[in-house]
Structures are given as structure tokens and as C-alpha cells.
């Protein structure tokens, strides 16, 4: 399915879409008047604190096209998504925009990128590389020691941001930033509610574009646009495609979602940052601001890279059921395949719910067999439909 | 059944110590069955685990990588990886870390090496990567063991030449924040072990264990230095790799320290008598990466044709530089934490790894480096560009082998031989010729 006219006719959608498609321009606009940008790599960078420090959080995007630096510097074990991010950090075109970078402990590969950057700065000092810092949350457990650790880590990060911004961050600053981020996330949750269930009015690719676009706009403006889009979308036609939950390698462009749509599948939810995992919970304004931030990143939906199989076998099928998904698509880039260790256990739970699973492995960038993939998506859609008829 | 290969996979062992540790290892594994059957606790751990604590509590343990090496050397990898496939997993990735889990799925475990492995009652998880932590959990459940997961914290102190500080200035090397963190993790582990096993960690035993570790690793240091300084080398890596690693897994025991001394005495004797492991030694090679346990003969493959001898792997050198901790009496747990927190960094974090490899290449008069990059490890990332660049910049030519270090089925002997031969012929020998011509002209 190509982009739908109903979406393209919406001014709000077009605005968000253009921020998403022209990130470079949108980021430059965010950083106008000498505002200090702090770039983020990883799902668990507390953007509330960056905002509270008067700086602008900017989500790093992966460079598409050739990635010569990644090919030179990185081992094959770095999957396509990570290669794109590294390329953005090192290539001339984007690197000059990036002075400060925060990486989070969302996957071991990000930790490696942090170490590599530090070393690359030493051995190639002539390169413009950002000053990096690292947020080391422990996400796999929610016990007391993990809570305490993450709370302290949040405080450490706040101190670091105060240094970068050269100003104090008061509780009031932080509460205001939390409010702003919650407003953005709240608007996105309204949008997501239009994706779930049989009457899904927003396609996965539209949602990804909207969420992604909103990252490169002022949060207030983004929330406003999303709310207006939600109003319009009430009138959009329902999608008839097979409803899927997406997990696996991060999709930061709609390419794969669009291909799935062409094959008769629609992603109604995902456990990814360019989607539902970004806004699945608010930062609780009733808690002390620092505690609230720490909890928001610790207690959100468990991402596979930092979770045990038992958590994923429990949380993913439940989430799929809640969002009305009829199937799960596990889409893995080559060497970004740790998800496979979750699968047999998850499948048992999904079988009980009658939810089918499509596993796609070993994918390259750029996609090297789009027709083959399309056929697999079509076949899966047919399989799920047959199950529907049978039921 | 073990798989037959068309090429020789077994190395020729000539040291008495290797035979002694091999025999001891076999007996130890056999006795493990009766210990576990009589109700003793038994732990399954990762290579970086704080084994000193288990040793001091007299809790027998097996290390995942140790078990992998044994199964691999017995050519049993394919059998176990097929079990993974049968259970719905893939059998072509994470081979180095999934052998234990694969073994737990075996309906006939008694057919494993030396009667197989009894089911552990405790699993201590310390893998950092996404797959590793999942595998640990799956294995723990399959064994119905109690699980303790050690958390990790990233490195934020990067001092040059770590080996100059690791023995005496380990507090400075690791940094206070990180050491405080790991000390707390180990104290939680001790509490967990005491509760689960009913055994108490005796402080005096822990100190004794650490003294044994220092003694053992001190002998390895002398052995490593002796090999580095002796040309032609009295022993190659195939002579030392097993005797070092098997004793390393028993680190902290008096037996292990004695075996380290035995090894030194034997090598010293060979060196004193001028015995060369490879009499026509012309080229000294350094091997970076996990050991090729299923094909140790590969290390000897280039001796006859080129006089090319592998004199270095990380196993002896890491023992020599990575473990000794002096001045620990005030807080032995902190000393164990300093070792535990830093061991992986030595191998995987720049610049610790690259600086160390260059230092070792220089000290061992190395002519060329063979670098095994594991193909099916999604967590493989030692910044190999930086390692290769650092070594080449220091004058050491490097060839990179991309292969699976545990699954014999995927090894392509001809290709790997060709890669190393190219290194020898195109780079090392040509460099030597140039140097010789230069020498003659001067
Ligand atoms: S990714 Fe590598 S380190 Fe992690 S479990 Fe697999 S083989 Fe082991």
C-alpha cells in the first residue's frame, strides 16, 4: 500500500511528514538562535532533563545510502541500524551539527559505539566528533537495587547536563519539562488508540512517520499537530489489512512497514521507539521529578535487548492481545538477531492466544530481496486470514 | 558421536604438566558427579565470574567457556547445536555461549564428555550481551537452578598501559565509582550463596585463595616472560594452552598454583637446555581471539613448511597480566571486584585491548598477528579497526580470520590456511627479505 490520500491531504500530517523526511532541515530549525543541541542515541536517554537544562534533545538519525565509514570502522556484528547511526556521527554532512551526544545502555552495541567514539577521538583527533556521555540504566530487573541504581544514574545525568548547559536545573524546570514531554506523549497515545483493534484508522507507516516527525519539532507544536491530526483521522477509512504487532530490528524509516502494507499487513503496535514504546507511559508528575524520570525509563514496556526471555514471553503476547494484533512479525537484520532467543518461549504463549508469528531473519541494508519479502508478507496475511475464517 | 575430520585436529602434546592437568581435569569431572549426587551445591558460571568466592566457599563450579572448550575439543559441538535447532532455536549463532544451554536439552546427557555434566543447582549470570543474558536464563530454567544475575556498569576511566597498574594500583585503574558498584554486587552474591548453600564464606579462606591466585599467576608471568625472551621458543601455544586454561579454571587452589609452577619449571628446563619447540623457528606468530579448541593442530600447521610458530595466545598472557592483585588484605572482596570488573575490558574495550596487544607483540618479538574474528557472535566488537591499526602502525602485519570458534562444522580449513599463508608469504617473509637486504647494504 502506498501512502494514503486521506493522510496526505491533512496539513498536520504533511507538516510532521516533512519534518521526518527532512530531518536535517528540521533539526537545524530546532537549533536556531544558537540553541545547544544534545543528540540522543538509544531509547533510554532522559530527554526531560535535557529540556529542563534549556537545551534541545535531538534524536540521532541513521544515515541512509552508502555507509563507507561504518564499513571501515565497524565489525560485521553491527547490524544495519547501528551502522546508519555510526555513519551519521562520523560523516561530514551530519557530524558537524553534533557537538554533544548522549548514549544509553539500551543495547550492548550502543555501549560499544560509546567506547569506539572515545577511541576514535583519540586516534583521529582531526575529525569532528561529539563529546559523548553515557546513561547506564539497568533495565533487565525491577528490583530494589536496580531502582536505586537507576535513580542515582538519573541524578548523575542531571549533573552532567547542568555542566553542559552551564546552569542549575531546579525541580520546577524539571517538572515543566516533564509536563511538556507528557503532553507530547499523551497526544501520541491518542494517535495510537486509533491504530488498535478492528477499526484501525491509522496505518503503521503513517504512525511511524508521525512519531518520527514529531521528534524533530518543538514538543508543544508537535503535540498540537498530533491532536489536530487525531481529530481528522476519526474520519479516515478503516484499514482492512491483517493486524500485526512488530518486533525486531528498529525501523526508523517506513520502508518495511510500507512493504508489509503492500502485502496485506498493518502494524498496529510495536515495541520500538519510533512507535508505541516511546509513549507507552507518562513520567509520573505526582512523584519527585528525578524519581519520576528514573521510573519512566525503567518501567516502560520491556525492549528485547535488555530483557530476559521470561519477561518477553509474558509482556509481548499480552501487548499484542491488548492492541488487537492477529499476528506478530519478528523482523531481524543480519547480526541483530538476539530476538531469536525469545522466540520459542514466546511462541508457546502466542499459540495459546491463537496469534501467529512470522519470523524474518538475516535482512540486509538496503533490502536485497524486496519481492521475496513481499511474497512472505502476503503469504502470512493469507495464513492469518484463513485462521480467521476457520475461527 | 564425535565427528571425524579430513584433517588433523589434535595437537601433539609434549609437556608433562599438560598431561597432569588433563588427567586431573578428567578425574575432577568424574568426582563432580558423586559430589553433586551426595547433595553438594554446584554452580555454572561465565568465564569472568568471581570464582575466587566459590573456591573459598568450596562450591564446585564449571565455567561455560570451559565446558564449551571441552565439548568442542571432543568434536561434540555439532551434536549439541542440533539440539538447539530441534528446540526451535538457531544452531548457527552464539555457538561459543550456548553450548551449556544446548547440553541442558540433551535427553542423554550421560553421553557428554566424561559422563556429561550433572545439573547445576546455581547459575551465576554475568554476560553483558542481549543474547547471552537470555541464554543464561534459559539454561538456568532448564537446569532448574537458582539464578543470580550480576549487574554490569560501563567503564569510565581509561588509563594508558593498564598492565602497569593492575597489580598494585587497581583502585586507580578501575576508579572508585565502578569499584564501589562491583564490590556491592559481589557482596550481594556472597549473601545469595550463603543463603542458598548454607555455607559461609570464611574470610581467612578468601585471603588464602587470593594468595594462591597471586602465586599461580605469578608463575604464569614468569613463564610468559621466559617464552617472550627465548628464541627459538621452548614451547608453542599448543603446549601451554591446555595446561594454563585447565589450571586457570581451578584458580585459587593450591593444586592450580602448583601446576603453574610445574609449567614454569618445565619450560625453564627446556630453555636452559636449549631445546627448541620448532627447531627451524623463523617466524613468531601471535593469535588474537578465542582458542580454536576443536582444531588445536591448526596452530602447528605452519611450523614445518615455514618455521612459523604460534608463541602467543591471550590465555597465558592474560593470566600473567590480568589477575594479580597485591595489597588486598584490607578488603579482599574489593580486590576480587577489581579483577571481575576489568577482565572483559582488557579484551574488548579500546584502548585497553590494542595497547596490550602491541606491548605483547613487541615483548614477544612477534613477526605477524592472526586475528580470529568470530563470525556468529552478534556482540563481537573489540573495535578491531583500532586493534589492526595499532598493530600495523607498530610494524606488526595482521591477517583477520572470520570464523566460528566453537562449531567445527563451519570451519573451512583450506581458506583459513590460505589466509595465514598469505600473511606469511606476502607480508612477513617479504618484510624479512627487505630487512635482510637493508642489513647487507649497510
Ligand atoms: S552474541 Fe556473542 S557474546 Fe553474546 S551470547 Fe552470542 S556468541 Fe555469546
Amino acid at each position: 500500500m502506498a501512502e494514503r490520500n486521506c493522510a496526505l491531504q491533512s496539513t498536520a500530517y504533511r507538516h510532521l511528514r516533512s519534518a521526518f523526511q527532512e530531518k536535517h532541515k528540521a533539526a537545524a530549525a530546532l537549533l536556531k538562535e544558537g540553541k545547544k543541541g544534545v543528540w540522543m542515541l538509544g531509547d533510554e536517554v532522559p530527554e526531560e532533563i535535557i529540556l529542563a537544562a534549556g537545551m534541545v534533545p535531538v534524536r540521532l538519525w541513521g544515515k541512509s545510502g552508502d555507509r563507507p565509514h561504518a564499513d571501515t570502522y565497524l565489525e560485521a556484528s553491527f547490524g544495519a541500524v547501528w551502522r546508519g547511526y555510526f555513519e551519521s556521527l562520523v560523516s561530514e554532512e551530519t557530524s558537524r551539527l553534533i557537538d554533544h551526544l548522549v548514549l544509553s545502555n539500551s543495547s550492548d552495541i550502543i555501549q560499544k559505539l560509546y567506547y569506539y567514539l572515545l577511541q576514535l577521538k583519540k586516534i583521529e583527533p582531526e575529525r569532528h566528533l561529539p563529546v559523548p556521555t553515557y546513561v547506564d540504566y539497568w533495565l533487565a530487573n525491577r528490583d530494589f537495587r536496580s531502582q536505586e541504581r537507576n535513580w542515582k544514574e538519573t541524578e548523575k545525568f542531571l549533573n552532567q547536563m547542568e555542566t553542559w548547559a552551564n546552569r542549575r536545573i531546579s525541580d520546577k524546570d524539571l517538572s515543566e519539562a516533564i509536563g511538556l514531554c507528557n503532553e507530547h506523549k499523551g497526544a501520541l497515545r491518542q494517535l495510537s488508540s486509533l491504530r488498535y483493534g478492528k477499526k484501525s484508522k491509522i496505518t503503521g507507516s503513517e504512525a511511524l512517520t508521525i512519531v518520527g516527525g514529531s521528534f524533530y519539532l518543538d514538543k508543544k507544536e508537535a503535540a498540537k499537530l498530533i491532536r489536530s491530526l487525531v481529530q481528522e483521522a476519526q474520519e479516515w477509512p478503516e484499514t482492512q489489512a491483517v493486524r500485526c504487532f512488530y518486533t525486531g530490528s528498529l525501523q526508523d524509516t517506513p520502508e518495511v512497514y510500507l512493504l508489509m502494507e503492500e502485502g496485506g499487513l498493518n502494524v498496529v503496535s510495536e515495541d520500538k521507539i519510533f512507535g508505541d514504546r516511546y509513549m507507552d507511559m507518562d513520567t509520573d508528575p505526582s512523584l519527585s521529578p528525578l524519581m519520576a524520570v528514573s521510573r519512566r525509563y525503567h518501567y516502560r514496556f520491556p525492549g528485547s535487548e535488555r530483557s530476559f526471555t521470561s519477561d518477553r514471553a509474558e509482556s509481548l503476547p499480552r501487548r499484542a492481545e491488548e492492541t488487537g494484533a492477529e499476528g506478530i512479525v519478528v523482523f531481524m537484520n543480519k547480526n541483530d538477531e538476539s530476538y531469536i532467543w525469545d522466540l520459542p518461549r514466546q511462541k508457546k504463549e502466542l499459540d495459546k492466544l491463537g496469534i501467529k508469528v512470522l519470523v524474518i531473519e538475516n535482512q540486509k541494508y538496503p533490502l536485497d530481496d524486496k519481492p521475496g519479502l513481499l511474497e512472505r508478507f502476503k503469504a502470512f496475511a493469507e495464513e492469518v486470514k484463513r485462521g480467521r475464517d476457520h475461527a | 558421536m564425535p565427528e571425524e575430520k579430513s584433517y588433523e585436529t589434535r595437537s601433539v602434546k609434549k609437556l608433562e604438566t599438560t598431561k597432569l592437568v588433563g588427567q586431573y581435569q578428567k578425574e575432577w569431572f568424574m568426582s563432580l558427579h558423586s559430589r553433586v549426587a551426595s547433595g553438594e551445591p554446584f554452580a555454572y558460571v561465565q568465564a569472568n565470574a568471581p570464582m575466587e568466592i566459590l573456591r573459598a566457599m568450596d562450591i564446585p563450579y564449571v565455567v561455560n567457556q570451559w565446558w564449551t572448550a571441552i565439548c568442542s575439543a571432543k568434536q561434540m559441538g555439532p551434536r549439541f547445536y542440533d539440539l538447539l535447532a530441534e528446540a526451535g532455536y538457531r544452531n548457527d549463532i552464539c555457538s561459543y555461549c550456548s553450548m551449556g544451554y544446548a547440553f541442558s536439552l540433551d535427553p542423554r546427557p550421560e553421553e557428554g564428555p566424561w559422563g556429561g555434566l550433572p545439573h547445576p543447582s546455581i547459575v551465576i549470570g554475568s554476560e553483558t550481551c542481549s543474547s547471552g543474558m537470555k541464554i543464561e536464563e534459559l539454561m538456568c530454567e532448564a537446569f532448574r537452578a537458582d539464578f543470580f544475575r550480576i549487574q554490569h556498569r560501563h567503564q569510565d576511566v581509561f588509563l594508558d598501559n593498564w598492565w602497569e597498574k593492575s597489580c598494585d594500583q587497581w583502585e586507580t585503574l578501575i576508579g572508585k565509582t565502578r569499584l564501589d558498584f562491583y564490590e556491592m554486587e559481589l557482596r550481594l552474591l556472597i549473601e545469595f550463596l550463603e543463603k542458598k548453600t548454607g555455607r559461609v564464606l570464611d574470610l581467612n579462606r578468601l585471603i588464602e585463595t587470593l594468595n594462591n591466585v597471586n602465586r599461580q599467576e605469578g608463575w604464569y608471568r614468569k613463564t610468559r616472560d621466559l617464552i617472550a625472551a627465548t628464541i627459538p621458543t621452548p614451547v608453542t601455544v599448543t603446549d601451554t594452552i591446555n595446561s594454563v586454561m585447565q589450571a586457570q579454571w581451578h584458580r585459587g587452589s593450591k593444586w592450580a598454583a602448583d601446576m603453574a609452577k610445574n609449567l614454569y619449571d618445565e619450560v625453564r628446563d627446556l630453555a636452559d637446555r636449549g631445546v627448541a619447540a620448532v627447531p627451524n623457528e623463523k617466524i613468531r606468530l601471535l593469535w588474537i581471539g578465542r582458542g580454536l579448541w576443536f582444531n588445536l593442530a591448526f596452530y602447528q600447521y605452519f611450523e614445518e613448511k615455514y618455521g612459523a610458530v604460534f608463541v602467543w595466545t591471550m590465555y597465558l598472557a592474560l593470566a600473567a597480566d590480568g589477575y594479580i592483585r597485591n595489597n588486598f588484605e584490607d578488603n579482599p572482596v574489593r580486590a576480587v571486584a577489581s579483577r571481575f570488573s576489568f577482565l572483559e575490558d582488557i579484551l574488548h574495550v579500546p584502548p585497553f585491548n590494542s595497547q596490550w596487544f602491541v606491548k605483547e607483540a613487541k615483548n614477544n618479538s612477534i613477526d605477524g598477528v592472526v586475528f580470529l574474528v568470530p563470525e556468529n557472535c552478534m556482540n563481537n566488537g573489540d573495535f578491531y579497526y583500532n586493534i589492526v591499526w595499532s598493530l600495523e602502525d607498530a610494524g606488526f602485519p595482521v591477517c583477520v580470520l572470520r570464523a566460528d570458534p566453537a562449531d567445527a562444522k563451519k570451519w573451512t580449513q583450506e581458506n583459513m590456511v590460505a589466509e595465514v599463508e598469505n600473511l606469511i608469504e606476502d607480508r612477513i617473509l617479504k618484510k624479512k627479505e627487505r630487512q635482510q637486504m637493508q642489513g647487507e647494504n649497510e
Side-chain angles (χ1 to χ4, degrees), chain B residues 378-427:
Chain B
M378 296 173 281
N379 194 39
N380 165 52
D382 308 341
F383 203 1
Y384 92 80
Y385 170 87
N386 172 63
I387 294 175
V388 173
W389 177 85
S390 304
L391 284 162
E392 293 273 0
D393 190 52
F396 303 104
V398 183
C399 97
V400 175
L401 301 184
R402 292 173 209 284
D404 183 329
D407 191 351
K409 224 163 34 183
K410 312 216 184 74
W411 179 258
T412 52
Q413 178 86 350
E414 316 81 70
N415 296 358
M416 300 301 154
V417 167
E419 294 279 354
V420 179
E421 289 194 339
N422 286 347
L423 171 79
I424 293 173
E425 290 180 10
D426 296 350
R427 305 209 48 203

Side-chain angles (χ1 to χ4, degrees), chain A residues 125-139:
Chain A
E126 66 285 0
R127 272 189 190 287
H128 181 92
L129 292 170
V131 177
T133 193
Y134 194 72
V135 184
D136 203 350
Y137 285 141
W138 184 263
L139 302 167

Side-chain angles (χ1 to χ4, degrees), chain B residues 19-302:
Chain B
K19 288 176 197 143
L20 283 177
V21 294
Q23 214 176 329
Y24 180 87
Q25 167 160 276
K26 195 171 168 183
E27 284 160 15
W28 186 87
F29 267 95
M30 301 290 205
S31 72
L32 184 62
H33 284 275
S34 50
R35 287 184 74 175
V36 174
S38 70
E40 282 204 54
F42 164 43
Y44 196 84
V45 303
Q46 300 293 347
N48 63 353
M51 293 161 213
E52 296 82 351
I53 290 169
L54 296 163
R55 166 92 37 225
M57 293 179 80
D58 200 21
I59 299 171
Y61 59 84
V62 165
V63 178
N64 195 21
Q65 290 75 2
W66 176 15
W67 183 244
T68 300
I70 291 171
C71 296
S72 231
K74 305 251 174 235
Q75 311 294 322
M76 296 191 85
R79 168 194 173 122
F80 292 133
Y81 299 129
D82 286 348
L83 288 170
L84 281 180
E86 277 168 33
Y89 298 95
R90 267 175 51 184
N91 61 357
D92 62 338
I93 56 174
C94 297
S95 54
Y96 207 70
C97 300
S98 60
M99 188 81 86
Y101 177 46
F103 177 79
S104 74
L105 302 172
D106 194 344
R108 294 188 305 279
E110 65 286 355
E111 289 176 10
W114 304 316
L117 200 66
H119 279 200
S121 52
I122 291 166
V123 169
I124 300 175
S126 55
E127 271 289 355
T128 55
C129 84
S130 311
S131 299
M133 60 181 278
K134 290 178 196 291
I135 296 169
E136 283 171 346
E137 188 204 25
L138 289 167
M139 177 175 63
C140 183
E141 288 182 0
F143 283 136
R144 293 173 209 268
D146 289 314
F147 191 38
F148 185 88
R149 170 69 218 190
I150 302 180
Q151 294 191 6
H152 281 288
R153 205 185 152 73
H154 74 287
Q155 177 63 274
D156 47 12
V157 178
F158 297 90
L159 298 180
D160 286 335
N161 301 349
W162 62 265
W163 56 90
E164 291 169 1
K165 300 166 188 79
S166 57
C167 300
D168 297 306
Q169 295 160 260
W170 41 270
E171 185 83 37
T172 320
L173 177 68
I174 317 293
K176 185 178 180 315
T177 313
R178 204 160 180 246
L179 256 185
D180 285 350
F181 174 83
Y182 278 107
E183 185 187 337
M184 180 56 81
E185 286 297 300
L186 296 199
R187 289 185 185 281
L188 290 169
L189 171 67
I190 293 165
E191 269 177 36
F192 167 86
L193 291 172
E194 289 190 334
K195 201 167 139 210
K196 289 289 168 198
T197 65
R199 296 181 183 195
V200 168
L201 174 62
D202 182 279
L203 182 57
N204 193 49
R205 276 293 299 280
L206 183 61
I207 291 174
E208 199 179 284
T209 303
L210 295 194
N211 278 325
N212 279 338
V213 172
N214 282 352
R215 200 159 69 83
Q216 181 181 353
E217 313 301 331
W219 287 115
Y220 289 141
R221 181 170 276 214
K222 285 167 85 97
T223 309
R224 187 269 318 262
D225 292 347
L226 180 61
I227 295 169
T230 313
I231 300 174
T233 181
V235 285
T236 72
V237 297
T238 48
D239 299 314
T240 56
I241 199 164
N242 271 312
S243 55
V244 171
M245 280 329 289
Q246 288 167 18
Q248 275 290 71
W249 303 131
H250 296 276
R251 195 168 60 244
S253 68
K254 183 176 173 308
W255 173 85
D258 290 347
M259 282 304 111
K261 179 176 184 307
N262 261 17
L263 177 68
Y264 174 75
D265 288 345
E266 267 197 275
V267 179
R268 172 90 266 170
D269 176 59
L270 291 168
D272 287 349
R273 288 191 288 118
V275 177
V278 178
N280 68 331
E281 176 183 315
K282 292 190 186 74
I283 292 169
R284 289 164 74 94
L285 297 173
L286 180 146
W287 175 272
I288 298 181
R290 294 161 177 172
L292 215 50
W293 301 106
F294 60 81
N295 187 6
L296 288 177
F298 186 75
Y299 297 117
Q300 294 171 321
Y301 195 89
F302 310 92

Side-chain angles (χ1 to χ4, degrees), chain A residues 57-71:
Chain A
V58 189
R59 186 151 294 281
L60 184 69
W61 61 83
K63 191 173 177 304
S64 49
D66 287 346
R67 292 156 172 186
H69 296 93
D71 294 342

